[in-house]
Amino acid sequence: MIIYPQCENLRIALKWCSMVGILPSEFMFPENKKMRSAYDVYSNITLVYWAVFIVTAYIELYLILNENPIKKDLMSLNLCITLIYTVIFCRRLITRISPSFKKMIKTIIEDQMKGDLIDDELFINGIAGSNSVVVIDILMISLILYPCRQLKKLDHLLRNFQDFRRKYQILNAIEAAFLFFKHLIVRHENIIQYVNIYNKNMGYPMMLDFIQSSIQIATAVTQVSGNEITLLLIASVTMFSISMLLRLCLYYYYADELLILSQKLTHSIWESNWPDETPKIKFMILIFITRVQKPLAFTIGPFGAMSIQSFISIYYQRLINEHEDQQKLTLL
């Protein structure tokens, strides 16, 4: 019995997401309607459980904030858990109700099933746990990696345009160069459409994730000041802060890779033997070069592109603001 679609790009993400009910039921048990219906019920139960859990967490936070005096260590501990679970719940809702998000997953699965002219492997290393936070992160990183992998393929095809054109001619004897380059343009348009769909669905959740990660790191530090300093406390706070930064670094690293790979396409086609082509192909190449001048990018809500540079600049500015606030407190 087939349980998951055969998709190397999402192999880890599909299995772990289904275990905690995150994977949309459309992609489960393609040949068994009863099992798919049972999984849909399980997915709804887990979603309701998360909603109840988050509501009770916010009730607890409300009670903590109404105490006099406010227990900062309890408040910090609550925020560290509640904020990230809120972001995860928002992402879970998107996976359930957004048709365009489901279309992204379907695009990756169909691309894997139909095969391609080249078959390069892209390995994804990750430690998967039963926690939904880890599972959602694996899924999101897998979705971010997909267009990067497609751009690497496209870069390879453009750099070796002459060789692959001859390969393409076996299937299309007439106007092989024109048909092959048209195929490359369609592939590039599909990548652009995929990135736009991702930004539409995940742009604002990424912004919330960045905000909650920053707050979590700040609240984790306050736990040290509000309790007796012990080696265990320092180690736990340090590991928690590192894990939050690591999550953001992974997102921004692969988002930065998308920017770099999309900008490389101009050089890739320029380094091929395009001057030897017909005027018709040369015109298409010039249009393509003009089209790829604007790099692809994952966005953070209304704040522009995700990149390593933006990640460093945001945190650098945050450190400056904290230093200035500390100096003001010292003067007071």
Side-chain angles (χ1 to χ4, degrees), residues 3 14 16 25 47 72 77 84 189-190 228 246 250 319:
I3 302 177
L14 292 178
W16 286 104
S25 59
L47 186 65
K72 293 182 179 179
L77 183 61
I84 190 169
E189 289 295 327
N190 290 338
E228 181 183 354
L246 180 61
L250 284 174
L319 290 173

Side-chain angles (χ1 to χ4, degrees), residues 126-275:
I127 301 175
S130 59
N131 191 298
S132 291
V133 177
V134 179
V135 171
I136 283 287
D137 283 337
I138 291 175
L139 177 61
M140 291 300 110
I141 291 174
S142 298
L143 295 177
I144 287 175
L145 277 172
Y146 173 74
C148 295
R149 180 175 180 268
Q150 296 303 305
L151 285 173
K152 287 180 180 178
K153 281 186 174 184
L154 188 58
D155 172 79
H156 183 64
L157 291 170
L158 289 170
R159 288 180 184 275
N160 301 276
F161 180 79
Q162 301 291 335
D163 295 335
F164 284 103
R165 183 188 65 177
R166 287 190 290 269
K167 195 173 183 180
Y168 198 81
Q169 192 170 1
I170 298 174
L171 299 174
N172 303 278
I174 301 174
E175 289 190 293
F178 172 78
L179 292 175
F180 179 59
F181 199 80
K182 183 180 178 181
H183 166 76
L184 299 183
I185 292 174
V186 171
R187 291 184 63 160
H188 185 246
E189 289 295 327
N190 290 338
I191 297 171
I192 294 173
Q193 184 181 9
Y194 178 92
V195 173
N196 289 337
I197 292 173
Y198 183 93
N199 288 334
K200 178 183 176 182
N201 284 276
M202 290 297 164
Y204 283 94
M206 286 305 302
M207 178 188 70
L208 292 175
D209 197 9
F210 189 91
I211 294 172
Q212 65 88 15
S213 296
S214 301
I215 295 174
Q216 281 183 319
I217 294 171
T219 53
V221 174
T222 61
Q223 293 185 44
V224 178
S225 60
N227 293 281
E228 181 183 354
I229 303 299
T230 63
L231 181 61
L232 180 61
L233 179 62
I234 294 175
S236 61
V237 170
T238 302
M239 290 299 296
F240 179 82
S241 301
I242 291 174
S243 66
M244 288 297 101
L245 284 173
L246 180 61
R247 290 179 65 254
L248 290 176
C249 286
L250 284 174
Y251 281 122
Y252 278 80
Y253 173 81
Y254 290 117
D256 194 66
E257 188 177 24
L258 180 75
L259 277 169
I260 294 171
L261 290 172
S262 61
Q263 290 173 331
K264 277 180 61 179
L265 293 180
T266 302
H267 303 285
S268 304
I269 189 62
W270 189 262
E271 292 175 4
S272 66
N273 294 326
W274 66 272

Side-chain angles (χ1 to χ4, degrees), residues 36-93:
R36 188 161 60 248
S37 299
Y39 172 80
D40 193 50
V41 173
Y42 167 70
S43 180
N44 289 330
I45 291 173
T46 59
L47 186 65
V48 171
Y49 168 79
W50 268 84
V52 173
F53 177 83
I54 291 172
V55 169
T56 56
Y58 275 107
I59 292 173
E60 182 183 8
L61 178 62
Y62 175 79
L63 294 175
I64 293 172
L65 293 175
N66 278 276
E67 290 184 359
N68 190 17
I70 296 175
K71 297 180 180 178
K72 293 182 179 179
D73 55 340
L74 292 179
M75 181 190 69
S76 301
L77 183 61
N78 181 285
L79 285 173
C80 286
I81 299 174
T82 305
L83 290 174
I84 190 169
Y85 279 12
T86 302
V87 174
I88 297 302
F89 181 74
C90 291
R91 288 176 173 171
R92 288 199 63 167
L93 279 180

Side-chain angles (χ1 to χ4, degrees), residues 6-12 112 121-124:
Q6 298 298 317
C7 181
E8 187 64 25
N9 291 283
L10 298 176
R11 179 170 54 88
I12 298 175
Q112 186 74 34
E121 295 293 335
L122 185 64
F123 297 97
I124 305 172

Side-chain angles (χ1 to χ4, degrees), residues 88-106:
I88 297 302
F89 181 74
C90 291
R91 288 176 173 171
R92 288 199 63 167
L93 279 180
I94 291 173
T95 63
R96 295 283 299 174
I97 65 177
S98 173
S100 56
F101 182 87
K102 295 175 183 178
K103 183 180 177 181
M104 281 199 313
I105 299 179
K106 187 178 180 181

